[in-house]
Structure formats: structure tokens, C-alpha cells
Amino acid sequence: MPFPRTALLLSGLFALATSQTAQAADTATCLSQPEVEGIVAYALPLLVDAAVKTCAPRLSPDGYLATQGASLVQRYAARKATTWPIAKAALLKLTADDTGKNAGNAALMRALPDSALQPFADVIVVQAITKAIKADDCAPIERITGLLAPLPPENTSALVTTIIALADKPKPDGKGGKSGLHVCPVAKG
């Protein structure tokens, strides 16, 4: 797997997982880096847990995900309650289109209590991650996860957010470059 693909794999999985509900959103809608970081921090335990379960048959039972994955999930999950409000606000911002064919979905999502919306968001993230992980991605995911694991969760989510923001920049030829989260440009100051 080429380095750029490997380096962006985890951030790509985060972007894919969290952009599934954003597909119907207006392309002008963007998220600030703190909003993206909230989504990433919220999704970290879901991502690692999905990777552990999806990759288990493809990796060594003595490898990092098999031996340390569950404890890493717990460490990241300890922040889910505090990151949920930011992730929820970003999710609702992405689905705020009240005029299109998904207007009913946007209104329903805003009306749902957290006790219903949060599990719904979790299912979307897990399904997208599980679908995105290919067999040959498991070894690089395990390596990247092991390398990121010593970082405090806050640093991990900030690093992944930075990678997503870099990946979101349009390329010089004007092609590609969108992560699916539409990260707002940082104002120069």
C-alpha cells in the first residue's frame, strides 16, 4: 500500500464514516476544525472497535489490535460523553438542509432526543467503517493504531483532524481533495 494511502487511511475512514449523513447536505456547508475534531474524537472508539472486529480474522491473535484494542477502545470511549455535543452539533449542521428531498430526515434528526440520535449516529459510523475496511487495509490499520495509541486521545483526534483538513484541500489541478466533511478554510490572521 503506498505511503499516502496508508497515512490517510484512518483519517479517510473517519471522513467516510462521518460523511454518510452529509451526502445530502449542501456542498457549501463546511465544518470548522473544532467541529471536525469533535466528530473524530467521538468516532475514535467506534473506529477502533470496528477495526478490531473486522480485522480479527486477518491479523495475528498476538498483534496490537487483538491484545490492546479493547483497552484502547475503552480509553477513547471515556471521552464520548464530552465529545457528543460537538459531534451532534456538527452532524445536525451537515443535515440542516430543510429544502431538499431529505428535509424530512433533517427535521427528524433535530427532533430526536440524544438517547435516540446517538445510537443512530453510532450505527452509521460503524457501518461505514466496516464497509470501508478492505482485507489489505488491516495490517496498516493495526500499525497506525499501535503508533497512535501512546498519544493522549486529545492529541490523536487533533492529529487526525489535521490530516483530514490537509486532505480536504483541493489539489492544484482543482481535482479531488474533498474529505466528505468539507472542512472550512482557516482564516488567515
Side-chain angles (χ1 to χ4, degrees):
M1 177 180 291
F3 177 74
R5 183 169 185 265
T6 302
L8 294 174
L9 183 60
L10 284 177
S11 62
L13 288 173
F14 283 118
L16 172 69
T18 54
S19 70
Q20 294 300 304
T21 58
Q23 287 178 355
D26 178 51
T27 57
T29 301
C30 67
L31 297 177
S32 68
Q33 287 197 8
E35 289 171 323
V36 174
E37 193 168 329
I39 289 174
V40 169
Y42 182 81
L44 272 172
L46 300 169
L47 173 74
V48 174
D49 190 52
V52 167
K53 291 174 181 167
T54 303
C55 292
R58 297 171 180 94
L59 297 171
S60 167
D62 298 325
Y64 181 81
L65 288 177
T67 61
Q68 303 296 316
S71 64
L72 186 60
V73 169
Q74 288 178 335
R75 205 171 106 217
Y76 289 157
R79 296 183 63 224
K80 266 184 88 173
T82 58
T83 59
W84 169 244
I86 298 167
K88 175 186 174 184
L91 174 68
L92 293 176
K93 182 177 180 180
L94 288 171
T95 59
D97 177 18
D98 287 328
T99 59
K101 63 181 177 183
N102 292 311
N105 292 341
L108 176 63
M109 288 182 72
R110 282 194 310 275
L112 286 174
D114 283 357
S115 61
L117 183 58
Q118 194 170 357
F120 175 72
D122 289 0
V123 167
I124 291 171
V125 170
V126 170
Q127 285 179 344
I129 292 166
T130 303
K131 183 178 176 183
I133 296 174
K134 307 298 181 226
D136 62 341
D137 294 336
C138 288
I141 289 171
E142 181 168 58
R143 176 147 171 75
I144 292 168
T145 303
L147 291 169
L148 292 175
L151 293 175
E154 297 84 358
N155 290 39
T156 302
S157 56
L159 176 62
V160 171
T161 298
T162 302
I163 293 169
I164 290 171
L166 286 171
D168 197 58
K169 285 184 178 180
K171 297 186 180 17
D173 63 5
K175 295 180 182 176
K178 286 296 179 187
S179 68
L181 289 177
H182 309 292
V183 182
C184 299
V186 177
K188 295 179 183 179

